[in-house]
Amino acid sequence: QVTLVESGGGLVHPGGSLRLSCAASGSIFSRSVMGWYRQAPGKQREVVATITSSGDTNYADAVKGRFTISRDNAKNTVSLQMNSLNADDTAVYFCNMRRFTLDVWGRGTQVTVSS
């Protein structure tokens, strides 16, 4: 059974930075597509960034140039470095693992951008 645990959320001022981390259990991490998604109040969950097993990345237009996704297959972790944060980035951020029919979600971590 695979579990994902996010950490690193919190309150940050506009223009600030945060780094989210997601730790995965199990042995298939290195072969999985990992992603970060977010859900703001009253809105649907949306993709933020994804990274393939080979390290290819993809970003939502809203975060390009500000966020960076990375993975460490030796440690079974995926991270999201978030810079130049603004109020529109306020949301619960979820870690996701996908491989074939496997689709696993973490419980999420709250990110609040406010002065």
Side-chain angles (χ1 to χ4, degrees), residues 25-41:
S25 65
S27 61
I28 64 170
F29 176 86
S30 64
R31 292 168 284 164
S32 302
V33 176
M34 301 300 299
W36 286 97
Y37 292 71
R38 67 187 181 185
Q39 187 167 16

Side-chain angles (χ1 to χ4, degrees), residues 2-17:
V2 176
T3 58
L4 303 174
V5 179
E6 302 98 336
S7 61
L11 174 65
V12 62
H13 290 168
S17 298

Side-chain angles (χ1 to χ4, degrees), residues 93-110:
Y93 284 71
F94 298 89
C95 180
N96 174 259
M97 172 187 286
R98 292 186 181 176
R99 177 171 170 78
F100 299 127
T101 59
L102 181 71
D103 188 6
V104 182
W105 293 89
R107 292 189 174 185
T109 185
Q110 176 71 47

Side-chain angles (χ1 to χ4, degrees), residues 15-72:
S17 298
L18 277 177
R19 185 176 181 85
L20 305 181
S21 294
C22 172
S25 65
S27 61
I28 64 170
F29 176 86
S30 64
R31 292 168 284 164
S32 302
V33 176
M34 301 300 299
W36 286 97
Y37 292 71
R38 67 187 181 185
Q39 187 167 16
K43 295 187 177 181
Q44 290 187 338
R45 191 173 297 188
E46 62 179 7
V47 62
V48 175
T50 60
I51 184 167
T52 67
S53 58
S54 58
D56 295 327
T57 59
N58 196 27
Y59 296 92
D61 288 343
V63 307
K64 281 181 180 177
R66 300 189 298 123
F67 291 11
T68 301
I69 188 171
S70 60
R71 67 189 297 160
D72 185 335

